Amino acid sequence: MLHARLELASPTSTAHCHKLQESMLSSASSFKNYRGILNWCVVMLVLSNARLFLENLLRNGILVDPIQVVSLFLKDPYSWPAACLVIVSNVFILVALYTERKLAMGSISEKVGLLIYIFNLTIILCFPMVVVLKLPSITPVGGAFALGVYTILFLKLYSYKDVNRWCRERTQAKARSPSSPSASSAMQSHVSYPGNLSLRDMYYFVFAPTLCYELNFPRSESIRMGFLLRRLFEMTYFISNVLSIVFQWMVPIIRSSMKPLQEMDYSRMTERLLRLAVPNHLLWLIFFYWFFHSSMNFVAELLRFGDREFYRDWWNSETITFFWQNWNIPVHKWCLRHFYKPLLRRGAGKLLSQSAVFFASAFFHEYLVSVPLRMFRLWAFMGMMAQLPLAWFVARFLRGNYGNAAVWLSLIIGQPIAVLMYVHDYYVTHCQDDPTIAEAL
């Protein structure tokens, strides 16, 4: 025992205490466990936001008012023009279904069907826009909700048109060449064209959390009540957080930003922008989780819709292009299937096709903002189109963590700029002549 202790304490056993190795925080190190640093960041984030929350309460008091929340959607509690506008959208759904049935029976030609669709889809975009612009009783939030419903319906019916046309083309091709008995027997358990042209199938697609139509959607075996209730709780909890952040945190900052914007005081404008960036980004993150995870999973579970890939790991984006391809999968799939690939098949280049996709996205962003606010400013349109040169710059000059930081910076800073621009223009256009509102701001 004494011999072992002497051997452990001998100089020869401790002569070599160094080896070739990198520091843990060096990029050349193989060390990757930064969980403690991540926990530290979370603790610091919670503490800093708790201080801001307490400071806000001490300065402004409690600003969340349920009556004010209701007034965002309704001016008159007995008049629901936005809801009526949504109900009218059923007319366009039935027109699309009736058109497809006539095309399947051969009662109308493909050209006539296409003209009906062009007219129907054009009215879907123009009709709610005219109603929102001409009807003063529709609030900006109510108008944005109604226009959002009609935009989703436009994309869904466009996909419905394309898929049913592809089915007719395949049916005509099979009629020319006899199909194998094994293939026909294998399809007996699935809906086949034109058996899909039913009211039940149409409205299932209208309410399903997808923009791309299929005759046979993947379906889950049953409805999990525990999963459904958790998503319902999240929807209720997070929407209350969104309203609290808007009224308690963002509204006071926006009000204090009007004077620096009017006086073009760039130092104070920058300070207000940075103050607004934190709650605005927090609001965007909560809304993402509320909509793409809680709400869409709730609807999918209720309808037993099997494809739950509503988003991918956009938070790891190292390029702007990767972000736009992964944060909103339903829209990305629609653009890829019904817009980008058809352009490529018609001979358009990749750059032109990508630019066309961004242009269409910019149009709908501006449509959903300018029309409800009843003003035409193009801030959302220019913000979306600016993604093209930004995407090129990040992909060209930034890599890895630098590219990811650039993506996050564009999200954190870019959105508050657009918010301030629209709020300022809305104030100048609608509220500047009202002394009560001007004094409040």
Side-chain angles (χ1 to χ4, degrees):
M1 193 69 180
L2 179 61
H3 176 72
R5 289 178 181 175
L6 289 173
E7 184 179 1
L8 288 173
S10 63
T12 56
S13 63
T14 58
H16 303 288
C17 62
H18 297 286
K19 62 180 179 179
L20 186 65
Q21 57 184 339
E22 298 287 345
S23 298
M24 282 188 175
L25 297 180
S26 173
S27 59
S29 172
S30 60
F31 181 78
K32 295 182 179 179
N33 186 6
Y34 297 102
R35 183 177 59 183
I37 295 179
L38 179 62
N39 290 335
W40 170 76
C41 292
V42 171
V43 171
M44 291 298 295
L45 184 65
V46 171
L47 289 176
S48 61
N49 282 287
R51 183 196 65 80
L52 291 173
F53 177 74
L54 181 60
E55 180 185 358
N56 182 280
L57 283 179
L58 293 174
R59 179 185 298 175
N60 304 309
I62 298 177
L63 300 177
V64 181
D65 183 4
I67 303 300
Q68 193 175 9
V69 173
V70 174
S71 68
L72 289 175
F73 297 89
L74 305 171
K75 286 185 178 179
D76 182 358
Y78 301 102
S79 176
W80 295 43
C84 294
L85 195 56
V86 172
I87 293 172
V88 171
S89 66
N90 288 278
V91 174
F92 305 101
I93 297 172
L94 297 177
V95 168
L97 179 60
Y98 180 78
T99 303
E100 286 299 335
R101 286 179 174 178
K102 289 298 181 181
L103 286 168
M105 293 186 297
S107 302
I108 59 176
S109 66
E110 291 290 336
K111 289 184 178 180
V112 173
L114 180 60
L115 288 175
I116 295 174
Y117 261 111
I118 291 174
F119 180 77
N120 194 37
L121 293 175
T122 303
I123 296 299
I124 285 177
L125 292 181
C126 296
F127 170 70
M129 178 179 67
V130 173
V131 173
V132 170
L133 291 176
K134 296 296 182 181
L135 201 62
S137 59
I138 298 183
T139 63
V141 176
F145 173 76
L147 288 172
V149 170
Y150 272 82
T151 300
I152 292 172
L153 185 60
F154 172 88
L155 299 176
K156 282 177 176 281
L157 293 185
Y158 191 98
S159 179
Y160 190 73
K161 169 190 74 71
D162 275 359
V163 173
N164 281 296
R165 176 172 57 82
W166 297 337
C167 289
R168 285 194 299 274
E169 291 173 353
R170 283 198 296 266
T171 302
Q172 293 169 3
K174 287 180 180 180
R176 300 188 190 99
S177 59
S179 58
S180 61
S182 59
S184 60
S185 60
M187 292 298 293
Q188 286 179 359
S189 60
H190 296 274
V191 176
S192 57
Y193 186 83
N196 63 305
L197 302 179
S198 64
L199 205 61
R200 179 190 179 94
D201 179 87
M202 168 61 93
Y203 274 96
Y204 181 87
F205 172 55
V206 167
F207 287 101
T210 181
L211 299 175
C212 293
Y213 177 68
E214 289 184 14
L215 275 67
N216 298 280
F217 290 107
R219 305 288 292 273
S220 55
E221 295 181 359
S222 60
I223 298 176
R224 299 167 292 179
M225 290 305 300
F227 181 89
L228 199 68
L229 292 175
R230 285 196 299 273
R231 300 291 83 79
L232 181 61
F233 171 78
E234 288 175 355
M235 290 165 61
T236 307
Y237 174 73
F238 284 117
I239 198 63
S240 64
N241 282 352
V242 166
L243 294 173
S244 299
I245 290 173
V246 170
F247 286 102
Q248 190 69 41
W249 201 345
M250 294 182 67
V251 169
I253 297 175
I254 291 172
R255 283 177 176 172
S256 65
S257 303
M258 291 301 100
K259 189 175 181 181
L261 283 170
Q262 289 178 330
E263 297 176 352
M264 297 304 292
D265 187 341
Y266 293 106
S267 59
R268 292 173 63 195
M269 285 166 57
T270 304
E271 186 268 339
R272 297 296 193 278
L273 175 65
L274 294 176
R275 283 178 58 191
L276 184 62
V278 175
N280 180 83
H281 188 62
L282 186 60
L283 178 71
W284 183 80
L285 290 174
I286 293 175
F287 179 80
F288 163 79
Y289 189 89
W290 175 82
F291 185 77
F292 286 100
H293 186 76
S294 302
S295 300
M296 296 188 78
N297 268 296
F298 177 83
V299 174
E301 190 69 24
L302 204 59
L303 297 177
R304 293 176 47 229
F305 184 81
D307 187 1
R308 308 295 175 88
E309 191 186 39
F310 306 124
Y311 55 90
R312 298 192 190 112
D313 59 331
W314 56 266
W315 46 87
N316 293 325
S317 302
E318 296 180 1
T319 63
I320 301 295
T321 304
F322 185 89
F323 168 79
W324 287 109
Q325 290 174 346
N326 291 276
W327 94 280
N328 189 340
I329 295 300
V331 169
H332 173 67
K333 285 182 177 178
W334 187 94
C335 291
L336 199 65
R337 186 194 201 192
H338 298 285
F339 199 55
Y340 181 75
K341 288 185 177 179
L343 285 176
L344 292 179
R345 286 194 293 267
R346 292 176 183 176
K350 287 187 176 181
L351 180 59
L352 179 61
S353 301
Q354 290 176 355
S355 301
V357 170
F358 271 101
F359 182 87
S361 178
F363 165 79
F364 281 110
H365 276 78
E366 189 64 39
Y367 174 80
L368 292 172
V369 176
S370 287
V371 176
L373 294 178
R374 297 181 178 89
M375 62 183 189
F376 190 68
R377 290 296 183 273
L378 291 179
W379 297 120
F381 182 87
M382 290 188 293
M384 280 301 302
M385 293 307 296
Q387 298 295 305
L388 283 172
L390 181 61
W392 174 85
F393 177 82
V394 172
R396 175 84 176 177
F397 298 104
L398 301 175
R399 292 288 188 275
N401 290 333
Y402 295 104
N404 183 252
V407 173
W408 279 112
L409 190 62
S410 68
L411 294 173
I412 295 172
I413 299 299
Q415 293 177 5
I417 293 176
V419 169
L420 284 178
M421 292 298 99
Y422 276 109
V423 170
H424 172 263
D425 291 348
Y426 186 81
Y427 165 74
V428 172
T429 306
H430 297 90
C431 307
Q432 194 171 28
D433 296 333
D434 190 335
T436 305
I437 299 177
E439 185 179 354
L441 294 176

